[in-house]
Amino acid sequence: ETGVTQSPTHLIKTRGQQVTLRCSSQSGHNTVSWYQQALGQGPQFIFQYYREEENGRGNFPPRFSGLQFPNYSSELNVNALELDDSALYLCASSTGGSVVQYFGPGTRLTVT
Amino acid sequence: GQQVMQIPQYQHVQEGEDFTTYCNSSTTLSNIQWYKQRPGGHPVFLIQLVKSGEVKKQKRLTFQFGEAKKNSSLHITATQTTDVGTYFCALDQTGANNLFFGTGTRLTVIP
């Protein structure tokens, strides 16, 4: 196990609602990245946080936003949920100098 | 933009047979990583390759990085049912400290 935890495990939301997903990084890791993994596809990079600042963003609209806290834990917020947002959301932590990602178990989001 | 093709998309093998998945990039890579994702699980880091022509082994798994650093392969010798899962190659996007994942190869091992 990586030591990266995510909550909740599963979530069902209705289109148009907002959701917050949480992640605690592995001890000693100051960088958190979020990925979206649709069924049958590889993870897609959403954004990364390093020392509480956004440090890179993938091709996702502004309704995907995030935070990182002083203890390096992180939140992913998605506003105005759409059906296509249904996916596994993965949090990964790393040290600032390494690209190797250690993934948490993920949050399975279903939008109906 | 970054393009990476991973083949095959699916592979079914009898237990004990060998398995290979290939990852091909349109651009020269600084390094490449391999991850395994079990059904219902999350990606787990396997290895990172950095040097041109590099070959690394982990028990029955052999990883290679091409001489031109544009392709890589993962070979599993004598597959076991515990090898079941999807194998992804992943590229770090230069200067971005994040990963671009390939499409993955889903391996099924028939006992």
Side-chain angles (χ1 to χ4, degrees):
Chain A
E1 294 299 321
T2 61
V4 180
T5 61
Q6 291 186 244
S7 62
T9 306
H10 297 89
L11 201 54
I12 300 175
K13 289 285 189 178
T14 303
R15 189 171 50 184
Q17 286 187 317
Q18 177 266 344
V19 69
T20 298
L21 310 182
R22 295 178 175 82
C23 170
S24 291
S25 61
Q26 183 168 314
S27 177
H29 286 186
N30 56 15
T31 303
V32 172
S33 302
W34 286 91
Y35 293 82
Q36 180 195 66
Q37 186 175 26
L39 201 60
Q41 299 188 17
Q44 286 199 319
F45 174 70
I46 303 174
F47 46 54
Q48 181 183 86
Y49 278 84
Y50 171 66
R51 292 185 177 179
E52 303 177 56
E53 298 282 336
E54 188 177 288
N55 185 41
R57 188 180 184 91
N59 189 26
F60 280 82
R63 59 190 185 84
F64 286 78
S65 63
L67 283 173
Q68 187 179 32
F69 300 99
N71 66 355
Y72 304 131
S73 66
S74 178
E75 286 183 355
L76 163 65
N77 299 291
V78 188
N79 293 323
L81 284 167
E82 300 176 359
L83 296 179
D84 285 349
D85 295 333
S86 295
L88 179 67
Y89 287 85
L90 295 160
C91 163
S93 75
S94 59
T95 59
S98 172
V99 189
V100 175
Q101 310 275 296
Y102 295 89
F103 285 85
T107 294
R108 174 72 61 187
L109 173 65
T110 302
V111 182
T112 62
Chain B
Q2 185 73 61
Q3 291 187 13
V4 58
M5 182 183 302
Q6 205 171 336
I7 54 172
Q9 188 175 1
Y10 302 96
Q11 184 79 61
H12 296 244
V13 299
Q14 291 284 342
E15 190 172 15
E17 291 183 338
D18 291 355
F19 159 77
T20 304
T21 174
Y22 301 89
C23 184
N24 299 303
S25 170
S26 57
T27 59
T28 302
L29 306 170
S30 57
N31 64 75
I32 193 165
Q33 300 177 26
W34 285 91
Y35 289 78
K36 176 184 178 182
Q37 186 172 21
R38 287 199 164 97
H42 57 277
V44 174
F45 172 74
L46 294 176
I47 208 154
Q48 178 173 270
L49 305 172
V50 178
K51 299 177 183 176
S52 168
E54 189 170 16
V55 177
K56 287 189 176 180
K57 294 190 175 184
Q58 290 179 352
K59 298 183 180 178
R60 296 178 294 105
L61 277 61
T62 301
F63 303 84
Q64 293 191 356
F65 201 7
E67 292 289 341
K69 300 182 75 173
K70 285 188 173 183
N71 55 72
S72 180
S73 65
L74 158 59
H75 179 82
I76 302 179
T77 303
T79 54
Q80 300 175 359
T81 54
T82 53
D83 295 326
V84 164
T86 301
Y87 292 84
F88 292 99
C89 61
L91 326 171
D92 72 315
Q93 304 190 81
T94 304
N97 289 330
N98 62 74
L99 295 176
F100 181 91
F101 280 79
T103 49
T105 296
R106 181 179 294 180
L107 172 64
T108 300
V109 179
I110 304 163

